[in-house]
């Protein structure tokens, strides 16, 4: 690259060094420009992908809310039908309904009494 001939004037050597430095700087700038372009492309790709992910998450959230709303509506309708069925049964069979309620209450009280006794004994 550099001419090592001692008969070459110093100014020529300086010119050759300056030219080599200029070419090195130009090559470095070209490499950095390419790198900057690659970084910008990656940013654009990442931004587009993040937008896609955000949109997908938004769609999934709306689907979840809609599913929860539908399930709540169905559960409310089932509870209403059960309430109506219970009311109808009580109206048709009041004696049986009272006996069933009394028996259920007695079983629950026995279970509660058994559980509290076993805790006190432990």
């Amino acid at each position: 690259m550099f001419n090592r001939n001692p008969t070459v004037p110093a100014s020529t050597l300086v010119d050759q060094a300056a030219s080599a430095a200029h070419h090195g700087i130009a090559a470095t700038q070209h490499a950095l420009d390419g790198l900057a372009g690659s970084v910008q492309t990656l940013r654009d790709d990442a931004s587009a992908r993040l937008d896609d992910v955000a949109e997908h998450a938004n769609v999934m959230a709306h689907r979840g809310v809609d599913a929860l709303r539908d399930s709540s509506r169905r559960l409310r309708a089932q509870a209403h039908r059960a309430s109506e069925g219970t009311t109808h049964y009580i109206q048709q069979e009041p004696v049986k309904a009272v006996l069933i309620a009394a028996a259920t209450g007695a079983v629950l009280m026995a279970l509660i009494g058994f559980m509290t006794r076993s805790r006190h004994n432990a």
Side-chain angles (χ1 to χ4, degrees):
M1 176 172 224
F2 294 112
N3 190 352
R4 295 180 190 254
N5 189 350
T7 61
V8 176
S11 64
T12 303
L13 290 176
V14 170
D15 289 342
Q16 287 177 350
S19 177
H22 177 71
H23 288 296
I25 290 171
T28 302
Q29 286 176 339
H30 181 70
L32 288 175
D33 288 344
L35 182 60
S38 296
V39 168
Q40 186 60 44
T41 301
L42 286 173
R43 272 190 197 154
D44 293 343
D45 288 348
S47 177
R49 288 177 190 228
L50 284 175
D51 289 344
D52 290 345
V53 168
E55 180 62 28
H56 185 67
N58 193 16
V59 167
M60 295 303 288
H62 283 292
R63 284 183 186 166
V65 167
D66 291 343
L68 185 60
R69 188 177 297 129
D70 289 344
S71 296
S72 174
R73 202 173 292 136
R74 281 193 304 264
L75 187 59
R76 205 174 306 127
Q78 286 176 347
H80 183 69
R81 284 192 300 273
S83 175
E84 286 178 345
T86 303
T87 302
H88 180 72
Y89 183 80
I90 290 170
Q91 288 172 350
Q92 297 299 315
E93 302 285 342
V95 175
K96 282 185 184 179
V98 169
L99 291 175
I100 290 171
T104 303
V107 168
L108 285 175
M109 289 304 292
L111 284 173
I112 291 171
F114 178 74
M115 288 173 35
T116 57
R117 264 188 266 132
S118 65
R119 284 188 186 168
H120 289 300
N121 292 339

